[in-house]
Amino acid sequence: MFEVHRKEVMWGGRPLVLETGKIARQADGAVMITYGGTQVLCTAVAARSLKPGMDFFPLTVNYQEKAYAAGKIPGGFFKREARPSEKETLTSRLIDRPLRPSFVSGFKNETQVICTVVAHDMENDPDVIALVGASAALTISGIPFLGPVGAARVAYVDGDYVLNPTSEQMENTDLDLVIAGTSEAVLMIESEASELSEEQMLGAVMYGHREMQTVIDAIIDLAEECAKEPWDYSPPEDDAALVEKLKSAAESGLKEAYKEQVKQTRTDKVSDAKKAALEGLEEDELEAAGGILKKIEKNIVRGNIISTGTRIDGRDTKTVRPIVSEVGPLPRSHGSALFTRGETQALVVATLGTGQDEQIMDALEGEYRENFMLHYNFPPYSVGEVGRMGFTGRREVGHGKLAWRAVHPLLPSKDVFPYTLRVVSEVTESNGSSSMATVCGTSLALMDAGVPLKRPVAGIAMGLILEESGEFAVLSDILGDEDHLGDMDFKVAGTSEGITSLQMDIKISGITEEIMRIALAQATEGRNHILDEMGKALESARDGVRDGAPRITQLQVKKDKIRDIIGTGGKVIREICEVTGAKIDIDDDGTVKVAATTTESADAAINWIKSIVDDPEVGVIYTGKVVKVVDFGAFVNFFGNRDGLVHISELAPQRVAKVTDIVNEGDEVRVKVLEIDGRGKVRLSIKAVAAEDAKESAED
């Protein structure tokens, strides 16, 4: 019944298995990929016909994690998987980015790739496995795909590169890098690093590219056995007469428009030139005209950069646009920054919270808490457009995570700075690399909030123009049009000491080690310039947090005292919080964190906790309040919730006939601990305090 084809190779010390022919046989391509004990079902399907008027490639990639893969039942009321998690969204993007440029140029049929995690061994992350499986499914599908594409994860542990590290190895790595590419070149990079050098990062990229050849060869072997017949597809050729017609009508106007250095004015002139060129065209010519005009536009911009070294806005290839950095534009926030680079601007706000504000992450690997969140927003007005405001898109999630990776390695540990951090980047203007503006703004906003970053972090986006002749130009701090019309988007973030994040996407068949080396060197120069400009606003973190931000004090108590602080059903800790206004977090190891916005509130909560976990000492004088008066004495609350008895004989040096002659309920008194008996009852004395005071006065 089944015609199963299977390929198995050893890769990174574990077996990698590609299998097809048994599951999802109606898909154009379907591969069950297994690595260790993790399995992902990857399918690819493309529409047989092209939708009329389609002017882009409608590729959709859906990566989905099923709870049953980890032997779990989903949380929530409905008990089924719902909207994609951040991990699923990011992995969908990760798969999409190297696959998209690998289809035959001009192919615009609707295409869908679905990767479903069906088993997870808690050691091997499914993301890279899914990417390899998606590539295999497309390669055997017959769809016009110029694969295969390989991928690998690279760690850097104790000075050595590690291929496809396990979850345990990832806990001690200085690098988390995912790379994808073909047998000849690199297509995509995504990484987080602990201030590694350019050479170390480039070494990791080349190591990953070498090691991924194993899976590329396995996919080729599988395809040679079972690939479907390639589709009868050839890219449509442009109408030569229409090309010449549009070229003569639009070229001069577009050249003139691209001399304009102001973005909005340039955009208007480009639009006017295109409109003029489209006038008089027949209806059947209009559909093809858009793509032809884009090619004319692309050739003008790229040719000018290659021939003259001058870019759209008049810069040379290495110059970074003017930068203005400001901190504290929002005085009521805990920390804020306004970072402007040319026509790109980000308003970034940092908020400090407590452990109660940590985000609970429910992943296949298990539940964990995240104390650093970075949210990136890209409203339509930032590019002068009218657009729909809705839920967070994949692009916003991806850009936010890129900035998160860039800053994360520089954050202080929770032991040093026990706060939950939330950063929000509002992109208020955009003309290229708003994600890198977010990195710069986040660094400044956190330092403005008093977060002790090891060093400031900056980011820069690099571009590439690569002609068929082999001529190329690497561009620093690219504009939106240069990103749109160029061949590469290469983002590098880091400090003065090294790289913390590197992301690369390309639109061509790959780039070489030589081009990457030049791009990294040029990015270092640009990043250092940006750090110098940021330093004019703020060089390091402010001392202490702002007024209005919670101040967190840590105490260490014995583990057996935790239940006393919490009380039955949480009664005690709730009372402390309600009375003092402080927030209290208690860890299982006995670490108690008290957060309050005023010193008085913090001190009150700390003293209350100390009174619960500490014991009063005999011979020590305390200040307390009379809580009850009886015939034989007065009960005084002197140590947290601890009360003691001042016998009538200990109220004053002289004989006391009536307790209320000396003290009444509500009076504040100073008492000395005379005795604590075996049952915990405390005997106090006011008379002894008076005697000590008299003795001190006599000595003075």
Side-chain angles (χ1 to χ4, degrees):
M1 182 175 180
F2 301 116
E3 187 179 348
V4 178
H5 297 272
R6 189 175 189 273
K7 290 294 173 185
E8 179 174 342
V9 294
M10 289 301 295
W11 189 43
R14 279 147 286 170
L16 175 79
V17 179
L18 300 169
E19 184 176 285
T20 187
K22 188 174 184 179
I23 299 177
R25 291 173 293 164
Q26 296 184 48
D28 290 327
V31 170
M32 178 70 80
I33 181 169
T34 305
Y35 191 55
T38 297
Q39 290 182 284
V40 185
L41 174 63
C42 303
T43 63
V45 177
R48 293 287 170 172
S49 58
L50 176 67
K51 285 185 178 180
M54 185 63 67
D55 60 353
F56 67 96
F57 177 34
L59 170 66
T60 303
V61 175
N62 295 101
Y63 167 88
Q64 51 190 7
E65 295 181 337
K66 298 297 183 179
Y68 59 73
K72 297 168 61 176
I73 294 175
F77 183 77
F78 293 105
K79 297 300 177 186
R80 71 175 299 161
E81 293 82 2
R83 62 178 296 175
S85 66
E86 182 178 277
K87 166 71 181 295
E88 289 172 310
T89 299
L90 292 169
T91 305
S92 295
R93 281 173 55 87
L94 191 79
I95 298 168
D96 182 296
R97 285 156 50 195
L99 296 185
R100 188 172 291 272
S102 301
F103 285 82
V104 172
S105 177
F107 182 70
K108 295 177 182 176
N109 293 28
E110 190 170 1
T111 304
Q112 186 175 42
V113 174
I114 300 176
C115 301
T116 306
V117 180
V118 295
H120 193 341
D121 63 4
M122 304 300 158
E123 287 189 357
N124 299 288
D125 197 315
D127 55 2
V128 170
I129 304 167
L131 204 167
V132 172
S135 170
L138 284 165
T139 302
I140 67 173
S141 68
I143 296 170
F145 177 71
L146 302 175
V149 170
R153 170 172 266 108
V154 179
Y156 192 64
V157 181
D158 297 329
D160 293 319
Y161 297 120
V162 179
L163 176 65
N164 298 332
T166 63
S167 300
E168 185 178 349
Q169 289 173 314
M170 288 302 297
E171 294 176 3
N172 302 308
T173 183
D174 291 322
L175 173 68
D176 180 7
L177 181 143
V178 175
I179 177 174
T182 63
S183 56
E184 293 85 20
V186 176
L187 288 171
M188 184 275 295
I189 302 169
E190 185 75 49
S191 67
E192 178 184 340
S194 299
E195 296 183 287
L196 297 185
S197 69
E198 282 70 17
E199 283 300 318
Q200 288 170 321
M201 292 298 289
L202 185 58
V205 170
M206 302 320 298
Y207 172 80
H209 186 253
R210 287 194 304 272
E211 294 297 330
M212 77 171 65
Q213 302 309 312
T214 300
V215 296
I216 290 176
D217 292 341
I219 294 172
I220 292 172
D221 290 344
L222 181 69
E224 287 176 346
E225 283 188 13
C226 62
K228 295 179 180 178
E229 286 297 317
W231 287 20
D232 184 14
Y233 175 83
S234 57
E237 294 185 3
D238 292 331
D239 183 337
L242 181 59
V243 171
E244 285 303 315
K245 186 177 180 180
L246 288 171
K247 194 172 182 181
S248 61
E251 191 171 43
S252 61
L254 288 172
K255 283 183 178 179
E256 191 63 30
Y258 274 106
K259 291 179 182 177
E260 176 58 55
Q261 296 183 11
V262 179
K263 179 189 174 183
Q264 290 299 332
T265 307
R266 180 173 64 249
T267 300
D268 292 341
K269 288 185 175 182
V270 168
S271 179
D272 291 342
K274 288 181 177 180
K275 284 180 182 177
L278 294 174
E279 289 178 2
L281 292 183
E282 301 294 332
E283 190 171 335
D284 60 334
E285 294 178 319
L286 288 173
E287 187 174 322
I292 295 172
L293 284 173
K294 183 177 178 180
K295 290 178 182 177
I296 295 171
E297 194 178 355
K298 188 174 182 179
N299 290 336
I300 290 171
V301 174
R302 295 163 64 92
N304 195 48
I305 292 173
I306 291 292
S307 61
T308 67
T310 303
R311 296 157 67 179
I312 298 171
D313 59 356
R315 287 180 293 152
D316 61 24
T317 57
K318 294 184 178 181
T319 301
V320 176
R321 288 170 289 176
I323 292 171
V324 177
S325 300
E326 302 173 44
V327 291
L330 305 178
R332 295 284 295 176
S333 66
H334 298 166
S336 60
L338 183 66
F339 180 84
T340 309
R341 186 189 58 244
E343 296 164 309
T344 296
Q345 184 181 77
L347 176 64
V348 186
V349 185
T351 305
L352 306 183
T354 67
Q356 296 174 21
D357 298 309
E358 290 180 341
Q359 184 175 14
I360 301 173
M361 309 295 287
D362 186 15
L364 284 185
E365 296 84 356
E367 186 177 286
Y368 66 96
R369 291 176 175 266
E370 181 57 67
N371 73 324
F372 175 44
M373 296 158 279
L374 197 156
H375 299 145
Y376 165 103
N377 297 315
F378 192 89
Y381 67 76
S382 65
V383 287
E385 295 178 357
V386 176
R388 183 178 178 183
M389 296 288 287
F391 61 88
T392 306
R394 284 187 175 188
R395 181 180 182 277
E396 289 179 303
V397 173
H399 279 41
K401 190 63 176 182
L402 172 59
W404 185 95
R405 289 192 181 103
V407 176
H408 183 248
L410 282 306
L411 292 176
S413 67
K414 290 176 68 174
D415 294 337
V416 174
F417 195 73
Y419 288 85
T420 296
L421 308 174
R422 183 190 184 223
V423 174
V424 178
S425 174
E426 305 286 0
V427 177
T428 51
E429 298 178 23
S430 181
N431 186 13
S433 192
S434 55
S435 62
M436 294 297 95
T438 294
V439 171
C440 301
T442 297
S443 177
L444 291 169
L446 287 173
M447 292 192 297
D448 184 51
V451 180
L453 294 183
K454 295 176 185 176
R455 275 170 289 279
V457 191
I460 186 170
M462 311 298 293
L464 173 70
I465 304 294
L466 178 61
E467 298 293 83
E468 292 181 3
S469 63
E471 291 183 282
F472 68 88
V474 175
L475 313 178
S476 295
D477 181 24
I478 56 174
L479 301 172
D481 285 336
E482 290 169 340
D483 184 7
H484 181 60
L485 301 172
D487 298 318
M488 176 183 76
D489 184 8
F490 191 34
K491 298 183 176 77
V492 186
T495 69
S496 57
E497 299 299 313
I499 294 172
T500 57
S501 183
L502 189 154
Q503 184 189 82
M504 185 191 77
D505 294 300
I506 69 167
K507 303 169 188 174
I508 52 178
S509 58
I511 64 170
T512 63
E513 181 179 357
E514 177 196 5
I515 293 176
M516 285 206 310
R517 191 179 295 276
I518 292 172
L520 282 171
Q522 201 165 308
T524 301
E525 183 181 331
R527 184 175 81 244
N528 289 334
H529 168 73
I530 296 170
L531 285 168
D532 289 341
E533 293 298 309
M534 290 168 56
K536 295 176 182 178
L538 192 61
E539 292 185 344
S540 59
R542 299 189 188 280
D543 292 332
V545 299
R546 285 177 178 268
D547 293 337
R551 284 168 169 77
I552 298 180
T553 305
Q554 289 194 155
L555 309 173
Q556 198 68 37
V557 304
K558 294 178 180 178
K559 292 182 181 180
D560 59 1
K561 292 289 186 180
I562 293 176
R563 63 175 179 269
D564 297 329
I565 301 173
I566 295 173
T568 304
K571 179 181 178 181
V572 175
I573 195 170
R574 280 200 304 271
E575 184 181 4
I576 298 172
C577 293
E578 289 170 3
V579 172
T580 66
K583 288 185 177 181
I584 301 171
D585 293 318
I586 305 176
D587 295 336
D588 293 338
D589 64 355
T591 301
V592 180
K593 301 170 187 171
V594 178
T597 55
T598 66
T599 303
E600 294 77 9
S601 176
D603 288 345
I606 291 168
N607 290 335
W608 196 328
I609 292 169
K610 285 182 176 179
S611 73
I612 295 172
V613 300
D614 294 341
D615 293 317
E617 297 180 36
V618 174
V620 176
I621 295 173
Y622 298 93
T623 299
K625 182 182 288 187
V626 178
V627 293
K628 188 177 181 181
V629 173
V630 293
D631 292 341
F632 53 85
F635 288 95
V636 177
N637 175 238
F638 71 101
F639 192 82
N641 60 353
R642 296 291 294 271
D643 295 345
L645 173 65
V646 182
H647 191 267
I648 191 169
S649 63
E650 293 293 335
L651 287 173
Q654 70 278 12
R655 185 179 181 278
V656 178
K658 192 176 180 183
V659 174
T660 53
D661 291 340
I662 306 298
V663 295
N664 290 282
E665 283 188 22
D667 288 352
E668 189 174 275
V669 294
R670 293 170 67 231
V671 293
K672 183 176 182 178
V673 178
L674 298 180
E675 180 187 11
I676 303 174
D677 67 17
R679 293 177 297 173
K681 291 186 176 182
V682 183
R683 193 159 64 88
L684 305 173
S685 174
I686 296 175
K687 178 173 71 176
V689 175
E692 286 199 20
D693 289 345
K695 182 178 178 182
E696 289 178 6
S697 297
E699 290 176 353
D700 291 343

